[in-house]
Amino acid sequence: MSRSSSPVAAAGQAKPSHATGAKPRIHPSELAALSVEERIQALRSNPTGLTDVDAARRRLACGDNEPAPPRRSRPLRTLVAQFTHTLALLLWLGAGLAFAAGAPELGFAIVAVVVLNGAFAFIQEHRAEQVVSSLMRRVAVRARVVRAGVERRVPARELVPGDVVRLAAGEIVPADCILLGADSLSLDLSMLTGETAPVDRDAAPLASPGRGAEELTLPSLLPSGASVVTGAGEALVFATGAESAAGKIARLLEQGGREGSLLERQVAQLSHVTAAIAVIAGAATLVLAQAFHRVGALGALTFAIGVIVALVPEGLLPTLSVSLAIGAQRMAARGAPVRRLSAVEVVGSVTTICTDKTGTLTQNALSVRCFIPARGAPPDAEQAARLAAALCNDARPAPAGGDCEGDPVDVALARWAAAGGVDLAEARARWPRIADTAFDARRRYMAVTCAEGGATRDFVKGAPEAVVALTGAPAPAGLDEAVVGAAERGERVLLLAVREAGGPLTCLGLACLHDPTRPEVPAAIAACRRAGVRVVILTGDHPATARSVAAAIGLEADRLVEGPEIDAMDDRTLLELLQAGASLARTTPEQKLRVVQVLRRSGEVVVATGDGVNDAPALRAADVGVAMGLRGTEVAKQASDIILSDDNFATIVAAIEEGRAIKQNIRRFVSYVFTSNVAELVPFLLYIFFPIPLPLAIVQVLAIDLGTDVLPALALGVEPPSPATLLVPPEPPRKPILTRALALRTFFLYGTVEALLGVLAYFGFYSAHGWRPFDSLDPLRALEREAATLTFIGIVSGQIGCLFAQRDGPLRKRLAFWSNPWVAAGLSIEVALAIALIYVPGLNGLFAMTSVGPAWLLVLPGGAAVMMLLDGLRRVRTEPPSSGS
């Protein structure tokens, strides 16, 4: 039919279409009423797809195919946020009080700290966002598009109206499309409608649906975000980006605010508590300074400001962002890029891994090892089985030529058929498919009807028990024994059958497929056992196959349960079996989902792995869903939180190790930051209660918090996992960052020692100039600035010691720099900055310090050695540090 013969097509000529950059003028219901040729004409496309030039022009006009435009980074808003969070507001209050107390120099210094710290945090948050954006690009949906007659895989964001796309089971509809052709195509629309039952789709025109027709009810419409459950199809893109179905949902989601992750909320809560303590302590100082010391109201106010500033951990928030971002990068480098940054923190708390077998525990290198003819099969059973393997098969030629692509089982069968002389393309041309029943995890078989001339023939492949049930007759003699024997060898068995027109379904024999286990998996299973992480195999394979694989990888499955047994159990019995280490075979997607839900309700933190559309519910339900990057479907990838770029179980263990290390690192730098706060507070308390000059100026507090403290804290935030990381049980995700044991160690060991080092350096300087305990310091008033400089040096020495004390391992390893170059950089800059603040003219005056004899710099290594010595004594007296210590 010509373009002008259709009123709708004519309307497409009269008005610019979506392909030219304007909003679509043709309603989906009107497209559904057109023939295939008219649909192509209406969208100004071609059966062989657009050219690259045409596609580039349309993309320029329509923009990227993003469900919602990427959340535009609003630099001004982000920057303002760095100056208005709780800790920053507290510093602004301190600056205001300083100006009110008649100390403008102090006020300006605090303002400078807020500005510098805000700028630093802004830069680090921007870098963290860049890391997440980079990871999201790595796991974005990819689509099969036909351009100028050539099929290629491209990121879905590159699609434009008029593109011809091809779809198969397990893929996600990448944009709103109208069908050009379909073969047993069905969709899962649950993301759009909430209904989980698959919906059939076909390309037939719908007579006069009317513009009021509900779009999702149109049988030829494929909405973006839907997943293909069965079959295959070719479709034409008519709406992309914000105009698509997924785009409309995304706009609704954009209206809601983003809720921070559990870790972000814990850090925010810690900041609020710290702010409250700082305000209370500042108010108490204001009262005590006037009650116990000879100062007026303005002087007392100045000291109160000092206390507040000393208790504010300015570097806490930016260090958290950097630590999470670098952790995500390290996980990606080890083969586990994340789609959700909060998964970085949750994966370290995993208690149970529910893993499939094929490709995760095995190498996903399926091959047909042998064929076992069924008793009573025709003499040419093997050749007939090869033909059945070629025709009852959805593998498709690779776009670039060479091997086939598709489901690994189909690819293995296609190779086996070709090795026996069956040409895949020739066989399909000779026996075209006229009907089929797509493989389904519940049915466990696939069937096709093919025709040659006037004759038809049915071909079936699937699980032996499922295919035998279709015959309506008893299993051939010896079949069950052959199945068990192959399964015990770790082989996956498929029964092939054929039915001539009008005849019975005849079993041809068993194709035994072998997939060797991955050599690195046994060590990974042993690591899980040491880490207190349970591993449960959930597979659709034969129980003997699951048992053989479990034995090969060192997984002791005391009991192996089949799917029907699971349905007969209540949740409590099922949980007891899972906690006892049972493995599950012949499981359906519903049973996998139930297993995950039962474990989570019991308080377990669950990782679930999967690769197919039927695994998506379990992946979404798990605390951390892990999809296979190589063989995983787009549906599985988009339902997951982490994608394994190598489909390797050992990579899951690496991700758990990194997740635990990140939580440990956050605790390290939190402890390090609060240690300095204690050391800064003590000099102010001494000044209040004793008649001595102020041992530490407020600007020196700022120099510590924003200068010498920051880079060492960042270095602790990127420590690599220690050998002990996987030697302790997992901890609950809601376990606080600052645990009781860590708080006691921070405030009463590290903080106290660092404070004493500062105080001892202060009084040691006076002692070297003739002062004796209990004497008045009034005769030595001229040395106040030098003494305060020594307090600063003492505190910095404690920081240096605390940097090494916070690390794991024996002393030699804690002192080494090779495992974490950031430690060397942080230490070098800390020492260089401290020396510059003391000896650079003008700079030392700005921070209320002055040059002292070079010999006093020996306090730096000496104080660090004292801190490490006392920490070493603690380590001897207590258990080795754990992730929760």
Side-chain angles (χ1 to χ4, degrees), residues 787-814:
T789 301
L790 261 297
T791 305
F792 172 80
I793 293 174
I795 291 175
V796 172
S797 74
Q799 285 183 308
I800 295 172
C802 190
L803 172 64
F804 294 107
Q806 294 284 358
R807 305 182 76 191
D808 283 339
L811 178 62
R812 183 175 180 180
K813 184 177 180 181
R814 279 181 278 140

PDB file of all heavy atoms in Angstrom, residues 787-814:
ATOM      1  N   ALA A 787      55.254  27.621  73.225  1.00  0.00           N
ATOM      2  CA  ALA A 787      54.660  26.487  73.937  1.00  0.00           C
ATOM      3  C   ALA A 787      53.426  25.974  73.183  1.00  0.00           C
ATOM      4  O   ALA A 787      53.218  24.752  73.063  1.00  0.00           O
ATOM      5  CB  ALA A 787      54.291  26.899  75.356  1.00  0.00           C
ATOM      6  N   ALA A 788      52.614  26.890  72.665  1.00  0.00           N
ATOM      7  CA  ALA A 788      51.444  26.466  71.888  1.00  0.00           C
ATOM      8  C   ALA A 788      51.870  25.727  70.618  1.00  0.00           C
ATOM      9  O   ALA A 788      51.214  24.773  70.187  1.00  0.00           O
ATOM     10  CB  ALA A 788      50.585  27.678  71.533  1.00  0.00           C
ATOM     11  N   THR A 789      52.984  26.176  70.035  1.00  0.00           N
ATOM     12  CA  THR A 789      53.509  25.481  68.853  1.00  0.00           C
ATOM     13  C   THR A 789      53.876  24.043  69.204  1.00  0.00           C
ATOM     14  O   THR A 789      53.634  23.108  68.432  1.00  0.00           O
ATOM     15  CB  THR A 789      54.743  26.218  68.301  1.00  0.00           C
ATOM     16  OG1 THR A 789      54.382  27.555  67.965  1.00  0.00           O
ATOM     17  CG2 THR A 789      55.297  25.512  67.076  1.00  0.00           C
ATOM     18  N   LEU A 790      54.449  23.835  70.412  1.00  0.00           N
ATOM     19  CA  LEU A 790      54.794  22.478  70.837  1.00  0.00           C
ATOM     20  C   LEU A 790      53.551  21.631  71.079  1.00  0.00           C
ATOM     21  O   LEU A 790      53.546  20.418  70.837  1.00  0.00           O
ATOM     22  CB  LEU A 790      55.668  22.533  72.088  1.00  0.00           C
ATOM     23  CG  LEU A 790      57.178  22.378  71.865  1.00  0.00           C
ATOM     24  CD1 LEU A 790      57.493  21.006  71.278  1.00  0.00           C
ATOM     25  CD2 LEU A 790      57.710  23.446  70.922  1.00  0.00           C
ATOM     26  N   THR A 791      52.468  22.252  71.553  1.00  0.00           N
ATOM     27  CA  THR A 791      51.210  21.511  71.685  1.00  0.00           C
ATOM     28  C   THR A 791      50.757  21.001  70.322  1.00  0.00           C
ATOM     29  O   THR A 791      50.355  19.841  70.167  1.00  0.00           O
ATOM     30  CB  THR A 791      50.111  22.407  72.291  1.00  0.00           C
ATOM     31  OG1 THR A 791      50.559  22.941  73.533  1.00  0.00           O
ATOM     32  CG2 THR A 791      48.835  21.607  72.518  1.00  0.00           C
ATOM     33  N   PHE A 792      50.848  21.884  69.342  1.00  0.00           N
ATOM     34  CA  PHE A 792      50.495  21.512  67.972  1.00  0.00           C
ATOM     35  C   PHE A 792      51.362  20.352  67.483  1.00  0.00           C
ATOM     36  O   PHE A 792      50.857  19.373  66.917  1.00  0.00           O
ATOM     37  CB  PHE A 792      50.655  22.738  67.068  1.00  0.00           C
ATOM     38  CG  PHE A 792      50.512  22.459  65.605  1.00  0.00           C
ATOM     39  CD1 PHE A 792      49.254  22.336  65.021  1.00  0.00           C
ATOM     40  CD2 PHE A 792      51.636  22.315  64.792  1.00  0.00           C
ATOM     41  CE1 PHE A 792      49.122  22.078  63.667  1.00  0.00           C
ATOM     42  CE2 PHE A 792      51.516  22.072  63.439  1.00  0.00           C
ATOM     43  CZ  PHE A 792      50.253  21.944  62.872  1.00  0.00           C
ATOM     44  N   ILE A 793      52.680  20.440  67.731  1.00  0.00           N
ATOM     45  CA  ILE A 793      53.590  19.381  67.296  1.00  0.00           C
ATOM     46  C   ILE A 793      53.249  18.063  67.992  1.00  0.00           C
ATOM     47  O   ILE A 793      53.252  16.985  67.373  1.00  0.00           O
ATOM     48  CB  ILE A 793      55.055  19.788  67.574  1.00  0.00           C
ATOM     49  CG1 ILE A 793      55.450  20.965  66.687  1.00  0.00           C
ATOM     50  CG2 ILE A 793      56.006  18.611  67.345  1.00  0.00           C
ATOM     51  CD1 ILE A 793      56.841  21.522  66.992  1.00  0.00           C
ATOM     52  N   GLY A 794      52.956  18.126  69.280  1.00  0.00           N
ATOM     53  CA  GLY A 794      52.602  16.911  70.019  1.00  0.00           C
ATOM     54  C   GLY A 794      51.354  16.242  69.471  1.00  0.00           C
ATOM     55  O   GLY A 794      51.299  15.011  69.347  1.00  0.00           O
ATOM     56  N   ILE A 795      50.343  17.062  69.160  1.00  0.00           N
ATOM     57  CA  ILE A 795      49.113  16.489  68.608  1.00  0.00           C
ATOM     58  C   ILE A 795      49.370  15.871  67.240  1.00  0.00           C
ATOM     59  O   ILE A 795      48.884  14.773  66.933  1.00  0.00           O
ATOM     60  CB  ILE A 795      48.011  17.559  68.530  1.00  0.00           C
ATOM     61  CG1 ILE A 795      47.558  17.944  69.949  1.00  0.00           C
ATOM     62  CG2 ILE A 795      46.824  17.061  67.708  1.00  0.00           C
ATOM     63  CD1 ILE A 795      46.557  19.081  69.991  1.00  0.00           C
ATOM     64  N   VAL A 796      50.157  16.541  66.407  1.00  0.00           N
ATOM     65  CA  VAL A 796      50.483  15.996  65.082  1.00  0.00           C
ATOM     66  C   VAL A 796      51.253  14.683  65.222  1.00  0.00           C
ATOM     67  O   VAL A 796      51.040  13.740  64.454  1.00  0.00           O
ATOM     68  CB  VAL A 796      51.272  17.017  64.247  1.00  0.00           C
ATOM     69  CG1 VAL A 796      51.787  16.387  62.953  1.00  0.00           C
ATOM     70  CG2 VAL A 796      50.402  18.218  63.921  1.00  0.00           C
ATOM     71  N   SER A 797      52.133  14.594  66.218  1.00  0.00           N
ATOM     72  CA  SER A 797      52.858  13.330  66.422  1.00  0.00           C
ATOM     73  C   SER A 797      51.887  12.199  66.757  1.00  0.00           C
ATOM     74  O   SER A 797      52.065  11.060  66.298  1.00  0.00           O
ATOM     75  CB  SER A 797      53.891  13.492  67.536  1.00  0.00           C
ATOM     76  OG  SER A 797      53.274  13.532  68.816  1.00  0.00           O
ATOM     77  N   GLY A 798      50.872  12.523  67.559  1.00  0.00           N
ATOM     78  CA  GLY A 798      49.855  11.525  67.852  1.00  0.00           C
ATOM     79  C   GLY A 798      49.066  11.130  66.611  1.00  0.00           C
ATOM     80  O   GLY A 798      48.700   9.962  66.434  1.00  0.00           O
ATOM     81  N   GLN A 799      48.802  12.101  65.732  1.00  0.00           N
ATOM     82  CA  GLN A 799      48.122  11.790  64.479  1.00  0.00           C
ATOM     83  C   GLN A 799      48.933  10.815  63.641  1.00  0.00           C
ATOM     84  O   GLN A 799      48.388   9.872  63.053  1.00  0.00           O
ATOM     85  CB  GLN A 799      47.891  13.074  63.670  1.00  0.00           C
ATOM     86  CG  GLN A 799      46.783  13.969  64.185  1.00  0.00           C
ATOM     87  CD  GLN A 799      46.605  15.170  63.274  1.00  0.00           C
ATOM     88  OE1 GLN A 799      47.564  15.869  62.961  1.00  0.00           O
ATOM     89  NE2 GLN A 799      45.384  15.415  62.849  1.00  0.00           N
ATOM     90  N   ILE A 800      50.230  11.046  63.572  1.00  0.00           N
ATOM     91  CA  ILE A 800      51.091  10.161  62.787  1.00  0.00           C
ATOM     92  C   ILE A 800      51.032   8.746  63.351  1.00  0.00           C
ATOM     93  O   ILE A 800      50.876   7.761  62.611  1.00  0.00           O
ATOM     94  CB  ILE A 800      52.543  10.687  62.778  1.00  0.00           C
ATOM     95  CG1 ILE A 800      52.603  12.031  62.054  1.00  0.00           C
ATOM     96  CG2 ILE A 800      53.477   9.676  62.124  1.00  0.00           C
ATOM     97  CD1 ILE A 800      53.957  12.724  62.171  1.00  0.00           C
ATOM     98  N   GLY A 801      51.158   8.622  64.681  1.00  0.00           N
ATOM     99  CA  GLY A 801      51.078   7.295  65.289  1.00  0.00           C
ATOM    100  C   GLY A 801      49.723   6.651  65.093  1.00  0.00           C
ATOM    101  O   GLY A 801      49.614   5.448  64.840  1.00  0.00           O
ATOM    102  N   CYS A 802      48.676   7.478  65.200  1.00  0.00           N
ATOM    103  CA  CYS A 802      47.313   6.944  65.044  1.00  0.00           C
ATOM    104  C   CYS A 802      47.075   6.464  63.621  1.00  0.00           C
ATOM    105  O   CYS A 802      46.349   5.498  63.398  1.00  0.00           O
ATOM    106  CB  CYS A 802      46.297   8.018  65.419  1.00  0.00           C
ATOM    107  SG  CYS A 802      44.605   7.420  65.534  1.00  0.00           S
ATOM    108  N   LEU A 803      47.696   7.114  62.634  1.00  0.00           N
ATOM    109  CA  LEU A 803      47.556   6.687  61.240  1.00  0.00           C
ATOM    110  C   LEU A 803      47.997   5.233  61.085  1.00  0.00           C
ATOM    111  O   LEU A 803      47.317   4.428  60.436  1.00  0.00           O
ATOM    112  CB  LEU A 803      48.395   7.604  60.345  1.00  0.00           C
ATOM    113  CG  LEU A 803      48.516   7.198  58.868  1.00  0.00           C
ATOM    114  CD1 LEU A 803      47.163   7.233  58.185  1.00  0.00           C
ATOM    115  CD2 LEU A 803      49.498   8.114  58.149  1.00  0.00           C
ATOM    116  N   PHE A 804      49.129   4.874  61.697  1.00  0.00           N
ATOM    117  CA  PHE A 804      49.620   3.499  61.592  1.00  0.00           C
ATOM    118  C   PHE A 804      48.854   2.558  62.533  1.00  0.00           C
ATOM    119  O   PHE A 804      48.662   1.384  62.226  1.00  0.00           O
ATOM    120  CB  PHE A 804      51.111   3.452  61.898  1.00  0.00           C
ATOM    121  CG  PHE A 804      51.941   4.172  60.866  1.00  0.00           C
ATOM    122  CD1 PHE A 804      52.536   5.390  61.155  1.00  0.00           C
ATOM    123  CD2 PHE A 804      52.119   3.640  59.601  1.00  0.00           C
ATOM    124  CE1 PHE A 804      53.295   6.060  60.210  1.00  0.00           C
ATOM    125  CE2 PHE A 804      52.872   4.307  58.646  1.00  0.00           C
ATOM    126  CZ  PHE A 804      53.465   5.526  58.946  1.00  0.00           C
ATOM    127  N   ALA A 805      48.417   3.087  63.674  1.00  0.00           N
ATOM    128  CA  ALA A 805      47.672   2.249  64.621  1.00  0.00           C
ATOM    129  C   ALA A 805      46.323   1.820  64.061  1.00  0.00           C
ATOM    130  O   ALA A 805      45.798   0.762  64.433  1.00  0.00           O
ATOM    131  CB  ALA A 805      47.478   3.001  65.939  1.00  0.00           C
ATOM    132  N   GLN A 806      45.747   2.625  63.185  1.00  0.00           N
ATOM    133  CA  GLN A 806      44.436   2.288  62.631  1.00  0.00           C
ATOM    134  C   GLN A 806      44.521   1.196  61.563  1.00  0.00           C
ATOM    135  O   GLN A 806      43.501   0.637  61.176  1.00  0.00           O
ATOM    136  CB  GLN A 806      43.794   3.538  62.005  1.00  0.00           C
ATOM    137  CG  GLN A 806      43.439   4.642  62.969  1.00  0.00           C
ATOM    138  CD  GLN A 806      42.190   4.339  63.767  1.00  0.00           C
ATOM    139  OE1 GLN A 806      41.547   3.307  63.586  1.00  0.00           O
ATOM    140  NE2 GLN A 806      41.834   5.240  64.677  1.00  0.00           N
ATOM    141  N   ARG A 807      45.709   0.888  61.076  1.00  0.00           N
ATOM    142  CA  ARG A 807      45.852  -0.105  60.017  1.00  0.00           C
ATOM    143  C   ARG A 807      45.883  -1.514  60.608  1.00  0.00           C
ATOM    144  O   ARG A 807      46.158  -1.703  61.784  1.00  0.00           O
ATOM    145  CB  ARG A 807      47.121   0.159  59.196  1.00  0.00           C
ATOM    146  CG  ARG A 807      47.186   1.568  58.629  1.00  0.00           C
ATOM    147  CD  ARG A 807      48.435   1.767  57.789  1.00  0.00           C
ATOM    148  NE  ARG A 807      48.319   1.126  56.477  1.00  0.00           N
ATOM    149  CZ  ARG A 807      49.342   0.975  55.644  1.00  0.00           C
ATOM    150  NH1 ARG A 807      50.559   1.385  55.994  1.00  0.00           N
ATOM    151  NH2 ARG A 807      49.165   0.406  54.465  1.00  0.00           N
ATOM    152  N   ASP A 808      45.612  -2.501  59.765  1.00  0.00           N
ATOM    153  CA  ASP A 808      45.581  -3.894  60.200  1.00  0.00           C
ATOM    154  C   ASP A 808      46.915  -4.578  59.930  1.00  0.00           C
ATOM    155  O   ASP A 808      47.704  -4.133  59.091  1.00  0.00           O
ATOM    156  CB  ASP A 808      44.473  -4.659  59.465  1.00  0.00           C
ATOM    157  CG  ASP A 808      43.102  -4.344  60.043  1.00  0.00           C
ATOM    158  OD1 ASP A 808      43.040  -3.881  61.193  1.00  0.00           O
ATOM    159  OD2 ASP A 808      42.108  -4.563  59.334  1.00  0.00           O
ATOM    160  N   GLY A 809      47.101  -5.698  60.618  1.00  0.00           N
ATOM    161  CA  GLY A 809      48.252  -6.534  60.348  1.00  0.00           C
ATOM    162  C   GLY A 809      49.372  -6.340  61.347  1.00  0.00           C
ATOM    163  O   GLY A 809      49.306  -5.508  62.254  1.00  0.00           O
ATOM    164  N   PRO A 810      50.466  -7.095  61.172  1.00  0.00           N
ATOM    165  CA  PRO A 810      51.628  -6.944  62.055  1.00  0.00           C
ATOM    166  C   PRO A 810      52.297  -5.583  61.855  1.00  0.00           C
ATOM    167  O   PRO A 810      52.044  -4.887  60.871  1.00  0.00           O
ATOM    168  CB  PRO A 810      52.552  -8.092  61.622  1.00  0.00           C
ATOM    169  CG  PRO A 810      52.125  -8.424  60.227  1.00  0.00           C
ATOM    170  CD  PRO A 810      50.654  -8.148  60.171  1.00  0.00           C
ATOM    171  N   LEU A 811      53.176  -5.246  62.784  1.00  0.00           N
ATOM    172  CA  LEU A 811      53.790  -3.912  62.769  1.00  0.00           C
ATOM    173  C   LEU A 811      54.487  -3.618  61.447  1.00  0.00           C
ATOM    174  O   LEU A 811      54.352  -2.516  60.901  1.00  0.00           O
ATOM    175  CB  LEU A 811      54.794  -3.804  63.928  1.00  0.00           C
ATOM    176  CG  LEU A 811      55.560  -2.480  64.031  1.00  0.00           C
ATOM    177  CD1 LEU A 811      54.594  -1.335  64.264  1.00  0.00           C
ATOM    178  CD2 LEU A 811      56.598  -2.564  65.150  1.00  0.00           C
ATOM    179  N   ARG A 812      55.193  -4.593  60.910  1.00  0.00           N
ATOM    180  CA  ARG A 812      55.937  -4.354  59.666  1.00  0.00           C
ATOM    181  C   ARG A 812      54.981  -3.990  58.531  1.00  0.00           C
ATOM    182  O   ARG A 812      55.276  -3.096  57.724  1.00  0.00           O
ATOM    183  CB  ARG A 812      56.736  -5.606  59.312  1.00  0.00           C
ATOM    184  CG  ARG A 812      57.597  -5.443  58.066  1.00  0.00           C
ATOM    185  CD  ARG A 812      58.449  -6.681  57.849  1.00  0.00           C
ATOM    186  NE  ARG A 812      59.286  -6.541  56.668  1.00  0.00           N
ATOM    187  CZ  ARG A 812      60.126  -7.473  56.231  1.00  0.00           C
ATOM    188  NH1 ARG A 812      60.267  -8.607  56.931  1.00  0.00           N
ATOM    189  NH2 ARG A 812      60.828  -7.280  55.142  1.00  0.00           N
ATOM    190  N   LYS A 813      53.862  -4.656  58.479  1.00  0.00           N
ATOM    191  CA  LYS A 813      52.903  -4.359  57.412  1.00  0.00           C
ATOM    192  C   LYS A 813      52.233  -3.012  57.636  1.00  0.00           C
ATOM    193  O   LYS A 813      51.961  -2.265  56.688  1.00  0.00           O
ATOM    194  CB  LYS A 813      51.851  -5.463  57.335  1.00  0.00           C
ATOM    195  CG  LYS A 813      50.875  -5.261  56.181  1.00  0.00           C
ATOM    196  CD  LYS A 813      49.895  -6.404  56.073  1.00  0.00           C
ATOM    197  CE  LYS A 813      48.926  -6.179  54.919  1.00  0.00           C
ATOM    198  NZ  LYS A 813      47.931  -7.262  54.803  1.00  0.00           N
ATOM    199  N   ARG A 814      51.962  -2.663  58.909  1.00  0.00           N
ATOM    200  CA  ARG A 814      51.328  -1.370  59.182  1.00  0.00           C
ATOM    201  C   ARG A 814      52.234  -0.205  58.822  1.00  0.00           C
ATOM    202  O   ARG A 814      51.778   0.868  58.455  1.00  0.00           O
ATOM    203  CB  ARG A 814      50.923  -1.285  60.657  1.00  0.00           C
ATOM    204  CG  ARG A 814      49.614  -1.990  60.979  1.00  0.00           C
ATOM    205  CD  ARG A 814      49.264  -1.861  62.432  1.00  0.00           C
ATOM    206  NE  ARG A 814      49.966  -2.846  63.236  1.00  0.00           N
ATOM    207  CZ  ARG A 814      50.497  -2.625  64.425  1.00  0.00           C
ATOM    208  NH1 ARG A 814      50.442  -1.416  64.952  1.00  0.00           N
ATOM    209  NH2 ARG A 814      51.101  -3.573  65.093  1.00  0.00           N
TER     210      ARG A 814
END
